[in-house]
Amino acid sequence: MNVLGDLQERYKANNWFTVVIFSTLSLPSIKLVYSSAMLNAGLMVIYSFYLLHFYITDPVKLENRQRIFLGLFLLLITLVFLGYFIFPYSYFSIDKIVKYVFIFIAGLTVATFVEKVNIRLLINLMIIWGLVLCVWKLTIGIRLNFDKGQTYLTYGMPIGCSLLLLLLRVFQKLSWQQITVLIVLIGLNVFVILTSRGRSSIIFPFLSFGIILFATFFTKKNKAVATKILVTGGVIGLVAGSYVLANLEMFKSLARVIALVESGGEDSRLDLWIPAVQAISQNPFGYGTDAHEYVLIHYPHNIFLEITLAYGIIGLLLFLGVLGLTFQQFRRNIKRDIYYLSVSSLGLYFLLSWNTSHDFATATIPFVAFALSLKS
């Protein structure tokens, strides 16, 4: 009886830990309810509590991949805080420091205790949250500040995440009833995203799904399924695409994509990337934490360039090391069940999103997603 009670307590603890991680991944949407500072502080307290609780009650034995990830991650975060003292152009901001501390605590905790995460529960929560936001937007709506990017961050990113996770369900064996429900839910996500302003939330879910489809051709497990998806998806895409193009004014997201192509890149990120590359070429050893505030005035909308600009070649190599380990886990997870594949897809999706629309200081979500892929 004591054994059963112990297992029950562990199950409850693991589920609570999963909910905390879900809260972190849903951070852009949850900020609608609470202020950023209060939310970050609250989640940091929760993470600290669980870090202490699990360390005392159930000491963790780390696998080699966890040690390597934590080593690279902690070196990178250490460089962030040392940057305030050793680089001449570091930009000091209390708000940014809080965000970096949050990245540190979240990344450290998830990478250390990733084995306690209930992946099935986490993925299902992410899908449900995206669907809730879809219904919310189509009914009462939410007031958003376009100047702060909330139009594509608050709605777009969680719904795009839900869309990607639903698309991956095609790798499961489904009944006709389940297939019908899946098509309806995917259609709901796509419709809401297309009627929103952001582009990344419609481009990156399908781009991530396409990368995963391509990767499955190198595995025996899902190769036949991938072929069927490409054929079926091509037919559905032609039909749906014809309808969308015929009603283009309604679909703001796609209209922006087409406008970008037709304008020849007037809204291109190149205008932000080129000055960053020029500054890096003049000083490849880095300018300091958030130095873009002085050197470029605006962050370069590219996390690779931002890290290299701030911490030079060393910072870039550390970040590439984290991504290299994440990619290695992606190759491993693609041969496993749908939930492990979904975890790796989250890392890919959030990396693509953060690499075009968000800065390093807010990169808690992708780093948590990278750490989740470490689960054995």
Side-chain angles (χ1 to χ4, degrees):
M1 192 67 182
N2 291 335
V3 174
L4 292 176
D6 181 60
L7 288 175
Q8 185 179 15
E9 290 301 318
R10 287 172 179 267
Y11 177 76
K12 290 179 179 178
N14 290 356
N15 278 351
W16 272 111
F17 190 68
T18 303
V19 171
V20 173
I21 295 176
F22 162 71
S23 302
T24 305
L25 294 176
S26 302
L27 196 59
S29 303
I30 298 174
K31 285 183 180 180
L32 292 170
V33 185
Y34 302 102
S35 70
S36 174
M38 289 179 62
L39 179 64
N40 285 351
L43 287 178
M44 285 165 61
V45 171
I46 294 173
Y47 270 121
S48 300
F49 169 77
Y50 274 100
L51 183 68
L52 180 63
H53 170 74
F54 284 125
Y55 182 78
I56 293 175
T57 62
D58 190 10
V60 176
K61 295 180 180 179
L62 299 179
E63 301 290 338
N64 285 335
R65 61 182 178 279
Q66 290 174 279
R67 293 192 184 96
I68 296 172
F69 180 93
L70 284 169
L72 295 170
F73 172 73
L74 292 177
L75 284 173
L76 181 60
I77 296 300
T78 299
L79 197 57
V80 170
F81 291 104
L82 285 178
Y84 288 110
F85 305 99
I86 63 177
F87 292 105
Y89 293 98
S90 292
Y91 177 78
F92 184 85
S93 167
I94 295 296
D95 178 64
K96 290 289 185 71
I97 290 177
V98 170
K99 290 178 179 178
Y100 286 127
V101 170
F102 192 34
I103 294 175
F104 163 71
I105 294 177
L108 172 65
T109 309
V110 177
T112 302
F113 302 107
V114 66
E115 298 300 334
K116 299 182 180 297
V117 178
N118 185 330
I119 290 184
R120 182 186 293 266
L121 174 62
L122 176 65
I123 297 303
N124 289 334
L125 285 174
M126 298 300 296
I127 293 174
I128 292 171
W129 182 236
L131 295 174
V132 168
L133 288 176
C134 284
V135 176
W136 196 345
K137 184 179 188 300
L138 292 176
T139 53
I140 61 176
I142 304 174
R143 291 184 179 181
L144 301 175
N145 187 331
F146 169 73
D147 294 333
K148 294 183 179 180
Q150 291 179 352
T151 50
Y152 59 83
L153 179 62
T154 303
Y155 278 134
M157 182 172 292
I159 296 176
C161 179
S162 174
L163 172 60
L164 173 60
L165 296 175
L166 285 170
L167 288 171
L168 291 173
R169 290 300 174 101
V170 299
F171 288 108
Q172 288 182 304
K173 292 183 178 180
L174 303 173
S175 65
W176 284 109
Q177 294 85 349
Q178 291 173 319
I179 292 174
T180 301
V181 173
L182 184 63
I183 291 174
V184 171
L185 296 181
I186 289 175
L188 175 63
N189 278 271
V190 171
F191 178 80
V192 172
I193 292 174
L194 286 177
T195 54
S196 303
R197 182 176 172 82
R199 293 167 298 198
S200 61
S201 53
I202 189 64
I203 293 175
F204 293 143
F206 283 102
L207 177 59
S208 300
F209 185 62
I211 292 173
I212 292 169
L213 276 180
F214 176 77
T216 57
F217 282 105
F218 298 95
T219 64
K220 296 180 179 179
K221 182 178 180 180
N222 295 315
K223 189 173 183 179
V225 178
T227 303
K228 294 178 182 178
I229 293 170
L230 288 176
V231 175
T232 307
V235 174
I236 295 175
L238 287 175
V239 176
S242 299
Y243 173 77
V244 169
L245 291 174
N247 300 272
L248 188 58
E249 185 177 351
M250 177 183 181
F251 298 104
K252 303 174 185 178
S253 179
L254 187 60
R256 289 192 71 204
V257 175
I258 295 176
L260 174 62
V261 175
E262 292 177 345
S263 67
E266 291 178 5
D267 192 27
S268 173
R269 294 287 191 259
L270 286 176
D271 294 336
L272 299 171
W273 294 346
I274 292 175
V277 172
Q278 292 173 340
I280 291 171
S281 64
Q282 294 173 4
N283 179 14
F285 299 104
Y287 292 88
T289 302
D290 295 315
H292 56 267
E293 297 285 352
Y294 293 125
V295 180
L296 302 178
I297 308 303
H298 196 281
Y299 71 96
H301 279 266
N302 184 291
I303 199 166
F304 293 92
L305 292 178
E306 182 180 348
I307 289 176
T308 308
L309 180 73
Y311 313 109
I313 302 299
I314 295 177
L316 177 62
L317 290 176
L318 290 174
F319 184 58
L320 289 177
V322 171
L323 293 184
L325 186 59
T326 304
F327 174 73
Q328 183 181 10
Q329 289 299 115
F330 174 83
R331 292 178 57 190
R332 178 170 172 262
N333 287 342
I334 206 168
K335 301 176 183 178
R336 304 168 78 186
D337 67 36
I338 184 64
Y339 294 102
Y340 285 95
L341 178 59
S342 296
V343 166
S344 285
S345 73
L346 287 179
L348 177 61
Y349 172 65
F350 288 132
L351 173 63
L352 292 172
S353 297
W354 251 259
N355 199 42
T356 57
S357 302
H358 313 289
D359 63 355
F360 182 37
T362 59
T364 303
I365 295 174
F367 275 105
V368 166
F370 298 157
L372 285 172
S373 68
L374 301 173
K375 186 174 175 66
S376 63

